[in-house]
Amino acid sequence: VLYVPYKESFLSTIPCFLSKVKVLCSSVWLENIRGQDKEAKMPDLQAAVNDFVIKLKRRQVEGSQASARETAVLLRSVISQQRVPHSNQAVSLIGAVKSVGVQLIAANPVELAIGNIVRRVLHLIRDEDLALATTGVEALNVVVDSDDEDDTQHENPSQLSAAALAAANRSTLLAPSLHNLLESIPGPAVASRPDSSGGDSEGKSKSVDKNSKSWKLKHGVIEAINELLEDIDNCRSQIAEQALEHIHQNEVILTLAHSRTVMQFLCEAKKKRSFQVFVAEGAPRYQGHALAKELVAKDLQTTVITDSAVFAMISRVNMVIAGAHVVLANGGVIAPVGLHMVALAAHRHAVPFVVLAGTHKLCPLYPHNPEVLLNDLKSPSELLDYGDFSDCMDGGTGNSRLRVVNPAFDYVPPQLVSLFITDT
């Protein structure tokens, strides 16, 4: 509605009217373009989520480090493309991350590193929101101090600022629960005095403040996720830097199966130490064979033994070094199958059992939690050839006298673990 003053001719209002219509149409057009761009991005994001879910279901992403890294990259994309409201921005980001995280965890429940990264990102969002809230509290404190020096006509705004400051301080001192961290804290606009230029400029300043806060929150979280990705990429090298503190001259080290973290740890110690490595072959996938080849290529003296020979050879060993699939909250370790037997042998002969694990493998869940699946069953073809045992199998009728179970992991209780070495 264009207001026309009484004594003003109608023709003189036409240029003003047309200019306002032009500005209005331009703003509507820009909003439509932005909306179309964001709508175009959302299917791409959903397609990326679906592709990663399919990869996890088909077990095409193997290893805790690869799963953790791809999860962090995907959640970074979710946060960068998430549209956040002017209020409760952290709640919006947390909801988006949770909805994607539930799909990823359900796709491969055995890979607990995925849930670890989802929880880590949620913690980063709450941390960043709390940091912004603390910054707002400090700004409120500055406004309160400046208001104390003003006239008595500004007494009510000062009282409101003091009340907001007290409420914010109380919320900061509370336990770091989700409710307390996301409790809305009044921003600096509560204590600001009305501008002499009128309500229009005040509304613009509030809009700018909200947009800048939204940008700061997402930018801070994305920067934190980038740091998390750097930690995941560098965790093996940071663990390997500690090798010389634990491996000494002429020692005998025992390991089982193939772990890239253990491989890098041993190679780092080889630069200044001379020692021998016993490698249990890790049947039925025989991953120890690949590890033995790599160690020999690095000029390490290596001996391959069968898994059943661990008890026979453990008395010659000075230390057992093993990788981990995940470390649970009670200190128990989910590790490649066969390591529980090695841990028992080491405990029986008082040999230190050392576990190498990055912080992305530290899980806050316990073995009795229903969402923790301690094992995964692999293909029976790794144990038996169907052609040689076809007469013992039913071919799918359910009446077979021969069954094959091929678990992938062992659970090592915490009392059998001597030491954890992490990237921190």
Side-chain angles (χ1 to χ4, degrees), residues 110-128:
V110 180
E111 195 58 72
L112 297 178
I114 297 174
N116 296 342
I117 296 300
V118 173
R119 296 182 193 95
R120 186 83 171 268
V121 172
L122 291 174
H123 174 72
L124 293 176
I125 296 173
R126 294 166 188 150
D127 242 10
E128 191 64 28

Side-chain angles (χ1 to χ4, degrees), residues 30-64:
L30 286 174
E31 288 297 326
N32 288 336
I33 293 299
R34 291 169 183 167
Q36 291 174 5
D37 289 342
K38 290 181 178 178
E39 288 176 0
K41 291 178 181 178
M42 291 306 292
D44 296 338
L45 178 61
Q46 189 58 44
V49 173
N50 293 337
D51 290 344
F52 189 44
V53 167
I54 291 173
K55 287 182 179 179
L56 292 175
K57 288 182 177 180
R58 294 176 178 175
R59 303 301 193 264
Q60 294 176 346
V61 181
E62 292 187 357
S64 300

Side-chain angles (χ1 to χ4, degrees), residues 93-105:
L93 291 181
I94 287 175
V97 171
K98 278 186 175 181
S99 63
V100 175
V102 168
Q103 300 178 53
L104 301 183
I105 294 172

Side-chain angles (χ1 to χ4, degrees), residues 6 107 133 166 216 298 309 364 384:
Y6 174 69
K216 286 180 181 178
K298 297 293 183 179
L384 300 177

Side-chain angles (χ1 to χ4, degrees), residues 133-308:
T134 305
T135 305
V137 169
E138 293 175 355
L140 281 174
N141 197 5
V142 171
V143 173
V144 170
D145 293 339
S146 62
D147 283 348
D148 288 341
E149 301 173 358
D150 290 342
D151 298 331
T152 56
Q153 59 181 354
H154 303 302
E155 184 176 356
N156 286 336
S158 300
Q159 291 174 355
L160 288 175
S161 302
L165 180 62
N169 287 334
R170 283 197 303 271
S171 65
T172 306
L173 293 174
L174 291 175
S177 67
L178 178 61
H179 175 74
N180 294 330
L181 291 180
L182 300 181
E183 187 176 5
S184 58
I185 298 176
V190 175
S192 61
R193 295 187 296 276
D195 192 6
S196 58
S197 61
D200 190 18
S201 61
E202 184 180 357
K204 290 180 180 179
S205 63
K206 288 183 179 179
S207 176
V208 171
D209 289 342
K210 291 175 180 177
N211 292 332
S212 63
K213 182 181 178 183
S214 170
W215 181 86
K216 286 180 181 178
L217 178 61
K218 293 176 67 174
H219 179 73
V221 173
I222 290 174
E223 286 295 322
I225 294 178
N226 290 335
E227 294 177 3
L228 174 61
L229 286 170
E230 290 182 6
D231 292 341
I232 294 174
D233 293 336
N234 299 329
C235 71
R236 288 175 184 159
S237 59
Q238 291 174 354
I239 292 175
E241 289 175 358
Q242 309 170 56
L244 294 176
E245 302 175 12
H246 302 280
I247 298 179
H248 305 287
Q249 189 73 15
N250 298 326
E251 284 191 336
V252 178
I253 309 298
L254 173 66
T255 187
L256 180 138
H258 186 279
S259 169
R260 287 184 288 270
T261 306
V262 173
M263 171 68 189
Q264 195 164 342
F265 191 84
L266 296 175
C267 291
E268 184 67 23
K270 175 64 175 64
K271 294 179 180 179
K272 294 186 178 181
R273 301 281 193 273
S274 176
F275 56 93
Q276 185 179 358
V277 181
F278 287 176
V279 180
E281 58 184 359
R285 287 175 286 280
Y286 301 105
Q287 297 175 344
H289 296 174
L291 177 62
K293 289 182 180 179
E294 294 180 12
L295 293 176
V296 171
K298 297 293 183 179
D299 200 24
L300 269 165
Q301 187 177 355
T302 307
T303 303
V304 178
I305 63 174
T306 61
D307 297 340
S308 57

